Amino acid sequence: MQSYAGPEFLKGHGTENDFVVLPDPRGELELTARRVRALCDRRRGLGADGVLRVVPSGLLGEQLPADVPADAWFMDYRNADGSVAEMCGNGVRVFARYLFDAGLVSTGSVPVGTRAGVRTVVVEPDGRVTVDMGASAVRGHSSVTVAGYAMSALSVDLGNPHLVCLTGELSELDLSVQPGYDPDLFPDGVNIEFVEVLDEERIRMRVHERGVGETRSCGTGTVAATAAVVRAAGEEDGSRFVHVQGGVVEVRVTPVTSTLTGPAELVARGRLGSEWWSSLEAEPLTVSGVSP
Ligand SMILES: N[C@H](CCC[C@H](N)C(=O)O)C(=O)O
């Protein structure tokens, strides 16, 4: 019989990029890739694009980026395929919403540790959440292929890697399969954004996320997209409303840093089944050699 005394979880999203939040104040959850894949599975698990473990930076058990205070909360981010990523712009807003709702932080700006460094988060009076995303670094030009059709792309680094294609009509793109990219440039994979300029203030974006597939939104991707559009417009400091499938976020890029403002919602809280969680502890022996 299943008892429901396993780890606490919450479910939340930022413009429909959705996450399982796992509070881990004593740094004792063993979050294996197999457990992440099971949690994110939309049939046999809770379903999500990623997992956000909430752990004190000092208990992470790995080398912290130099600017992350040991007493800050750390967002241990994982993609749905179980891979670790440096940063998640929608996720860090949901993470901050949890910190505030759980009373772990008071109002004002909050430093959050990430593998890309510290990110300062503010909950706005209107309930939206603003993240200082750090500087967007343009790394040069490359290309992407979709259904055999090659497009030029701009490489932009937000702590995690992005390739931004400024293209026309987005609805025709088949993003059900991984777009092609240069594996020598991105040996650990890359997030790929397709962007349509709507007018001087608005852009529309679709995204194929590393470690997930097509998602309804990608926060770091909206900043990379805005950086590419502002650069193409010959500007150094610019803002855009980014329309993604899951809603709208507001992005500003400057030569020094960038900010992302958008919604962050927590929709449920519960506990994982103890037996289910324990059954995922050991990596299974598989015939195919591929862990489920
Ligand atoms: N898939 C991304 C991480 C999540 C990014 C996205 N969900 C965001 O909101 O920034 C990567 O592997 O770099």
Side-chain angles (χ1 to χ4, degrees):
M1 184 180 78
Q2 177 90 259
S3 66
Y4 298 92
E8 179 190 19
F9 74 88
L10 295 96
K11 185 76 192 320
H13 76 97
T15 54
E16 300 181 10
N17 191 196
D18 63 335
F19 309 99
V20 172
V21 179
L22 288 182
D24 188 14
R26 290 183 296 279
E28 58 197 8
L29 290 181
E30 194 186 346
L31 189 57
T32 61
R34 185 178 180 218
R35 280 176 161 167
V36 170
R37 289 193 296 272
L39 283 168
C40 293
D41 189 297
R42 296 192 187 279
R43 297 292 182 278
R44 63 190 176 96
L46 297 175
D49 292 332
V51 176
L52 316 176
R53 184 166 72 104
V54 186
V55 61
S57 294
L59 297 181
L60 186 72
E62 62 184 69
Q63 184 66 39
L64 289 175
D67 63 346
V68 172
D71 63 352
W73 289 98
F74 191 91
M75 180 179 74
D76 177 7
Y77 176 80
R78 314 298 177 90
N79 282 317
D81 71 351
S83 61
V84 175
E86 302 84 353
M87 178 49 195
C88 179
N90 289 323
V92 77
R93 299 203 312 275
V94 173
F95 186 93
R97 169 70 66 212
Y98 166 72
L99 293 181
F100 280 103
D101 289 3
L104 295 176
V105 293
S106 58
T107 55
S109 67
V110 174
V112 173
T114 79
R115 291 185 175 91
V118 70
R119 294 293 184 264
T120 301
V121 192
V122 173
V123 176
E124 305 291 352
D126 67 3
R128 294 186 306 165
V129 182
T130 294
V131 190
D132 183 330
M133 297 288 286
S136 58
V138 173
R139 298 290 190 212
H141 293 275
S142 184
S143 66
V144 167
T145 54
V146 177
Y149 180 68
M151 303 176 199
S152 62
L154 190 69
S155 170
V156 185
D157 189 318
L158 263 296
N160 60 347
H162 294 265
L163 272 175
V164 181
C165 302
L166 303 184
T167 179
E169 180 49 46
L170 303 182
S171 58
E172 302 302 313
L173 290 171
D174 175 9
L175 299 187
S176 61
V177 292
Q178 169 71 57
Y181 63 88
D182 181 347
D184 295 331
L185 268 183
F186 302 102
D188 298 323
V190 63
N191 303 285
I192 302 175
E193 289 82 23
F194 301 89
V195 180
E196 177 186 5
V197 176
L198 300 175
D199 57 34
E200 287 180 357
E201 292 184 341
R202 301 175 307 144
I203 61 178
R204 189 191 314 281
M205 183 187 99
R206 284 179 66 188
V207 57
H208 187 282
E209 273 199 46
R210 175 178 67 169
V212 191
E214 180 168 17
T215 58
R216 305 272 295 163
S217 176
C218 172
T220 49
T222 64
V223 179
T226 302
V229 167
V230 165
R231 184 176 188 267
E235 302 166 28
E236 280 206 340
D237 179 334
S239 300
R240 295 295 187 278
F241 290 99
V242 187
H243 292 247
V244 291
Q245 290 175 293
V248 182
V249 294
E250 194 172 347
V251 177
R252 179 180 179 199
V253 295
T254 77
V256 178
T257 192
S258 52
T259 57
L260 165 63
T261 300
E265 278 191 87
L266 289 170
V267 298
R269 179 178 169 215
R271 299 199 77 96
L272 297 174
S274 309
E275 289 70 20
W276 181 77
W277 184 249
S278 301
S279 73
L280 294 164
E281 195 152 21
E283 289 295 337
L285 296 175
T286 58
V287 174
S288 65
V290 177
S291 301

